[in-house]
Amino acid sequence: MGIIRKTQSATYLLQEFEKDSKAISAIELVKRLSKKINKTTVYRLLNKLEEDGILHYFLDTKGVKWFAKCKGCSKSKHHDIHPHFQCTECGNVDCIEVDIKVPESPNRKITNAHILVLGQCNLCL
């Protein structure tokens, strides 16, 4: 189920990714948009935008879902399988722009892979 029309709520949410090129947690998006969009709508939009290939997600060390803009993905296929970096000092998370080939596995259909790399960012070193 994709976004058929671009609603004002979807525009508000996507503007958050235009302001900041880093990944943004779902929790942070709910906080940022609390005066404009209710929590349920934020989560519904995030799921639809992920299904449409506009955003991709990954999980951090605590199981929190983070989202980042896709590059060249579509509703039928996500092409941006890459690792994500989380700073163990400040908690900042961002994409590492290196393509990763997920190996094929017999008797399985792999549809997504989450690779999280931990360490210190350039600001915390």
Side-chain angles (χ1 to χ4, degrees), residues 1 5 20 25 29 33 36-37 46 50 55 59-60 64 70-71 74 78 81 92 94 109 115 124:
M1 179 171 165
R5 58 188 171 84
D20 193 352
S25 74
L29 285 164
L33 297 167
K36 298 176 183 176
I37 309 171
L46 287 170
E50 193 274 330
L55 299 177
L59 303 174
D60 72 5
V64 174
C70 289
K71 295 178 181 166
S74 67
H78 277 277
I81 298 174
N92 278 337
D94 59 357
K109 179 183 177 189
I115 302 166
C124 293

Side-chain angles (χ1 to χ4, degrees), residues 2-110:
I3 291 181
I4 297 167
R5 58 188 171 84
K6 197 171 188 179
T7 64
Q8 189 173 24
S9 296
T11 301
Y12 288 143
L13 193 142
L14 289 171
Q15 284 173 346
E16 293 301 315
F17 291 96
E18 297 302 323
K19 290 180 197 174
D20 193 352
S21 63
K22 294 181 182 176
I24 308 169
S25 74
I27 295 167
E28 178 63 22
L29 285 164
V30 168
K31 285 180 195 173
R32 289 184 190 183
L33 297 167
S34 65
K35 293 190 185 331
K36 298 176 183 176
I37 309 171
N38 69 48
K39 179 179 173 178
T40 304
T41 302
V42 170
Y43 282 104
R44 182 178 46 80
L45 284 170
L46 287 170
N47 287 333
K48 286 182 180 181
L49 291 167
E50 193 274 330
E51 288 173 6
D52 285 350
I54 296 167
L55 299 177
H56 65 277
Y57 77 92
F58 57 95
L59 303 174
D60 72 5
T61 57
K62 295 178 182 174
V64 174
K65 231 178 192 183
W66 289 72
F67 290 85
K69 284 191 80 168
C70 289
K71 295 178 181 166
C73 295
S74 67
K75 187 172 182 166
S76 61
K77 179 117 170 105
H78 277 277
H79 299 283
D80 54 3
I81 298 174
H82 55 266
H84 296 87
F85 179 87
Q86 183 172 21
C87 180
T88 55
E89 297 292 319
C90 67
N92 278 337
V93 177
D94 59 357
C95 298
I96 298 175
E97 298 298 329
V98 175
D99 287 333
I100 302 268
K101 172 118 173 84
V102 177
E104 297 203 12
S105 180
N107 302 319
R108 292 177 177 90
K109 179 183 177 189
I110 298 171

